[in-house]
Amino acid sequence: MTFIIGEPCIDVLDKSCMDICPMDCIYTGLRKNYINPVECIDCSACADVCPVDAIFPASRAVTEEQRAFADDSDLFFDSILSGREEPLGSIGGSAKVGDIGADTPLVAGHPKVVS
Ligand code: F3S
């Protein structure tokens, strides 16, 4: 199992989740963060601190939107994102790469904008 960051994170990017993650397995795109499903140890610490309740266990992805963001989370690590030459994969910590600067098509095309 892993945890998923859903739609409420888009354009909020509070990043409290990154500060508390013991595995450094939360990666920053352009408009949203993504949890690496291989590196996540399911501790749930991130879900407890997110101010917009964006994080949920993959096993509780019951709505169509939640399932879409669960699949999208895999895509962030397994596909070649805009401006990159290869998939990010599992590199053992977001500090090694810093902000990725790109999102999946689902997130990049999302209309949400927070004022
Ligand atoms: Fe996003 Fe919440 Fe983390 S807004 S960056 S999932 S603390």
Side-chain angles (χ1 to χ4, degrees):
M1 195 184 81
T2 184
F3 278 72
I4 305 296
I5 298 180
E7 188 270 348
C9 177
I10 298 175
D11 296 329
V12 176
L13 264 182
D14 177 80
K15 297 188 180 179
S16 297
C17 53
M18 299 180 77
D19 294 337
I20 203 160
C21 177
M23 300 303 291
D24 191 29
C25 70
I26 303 177
Y27 294 72
T28 300
L30 208 52
R31 302 174 61 194
K32 178 185 175 290
N33 268 2
Y34 303 80
I35 297 173
N36 185 297
V38 176
E39 297 169 359
C40 175
I41 59 169
D42 307 329
C43 71
S44 81
C46 58
D48 294 338
V49 298
C50 177
V52 293
D53 290 329
I55 306 175
F56 56 92
S59 60
R60 293 211 191 130
V62 291
T63 69
E64 193 173 320
E65 179 182 278
Q66 288 173 328
R67 284 195 294 270
F69 275 91
D71 291 342
D72 191 63
S73 191
D74 291 339
L75 205 62
F76 183 79
F77 297 97
D78 296 343
S79 67
I80 300 175
L81 299 170
S82 175
R84 300 187 68 85
E85 295 182 352
E86 57 186 22
L88 186 58
S90 298
I91 57 168
S94 63
K96 294 178 180 172
V97 286
D99 291 1
I100 303 304
D103 285 306
T104 58
L106 174 70
V107 174
H110 196 284
K112 179 178 175 180
V113 175
V114 175
S115 57

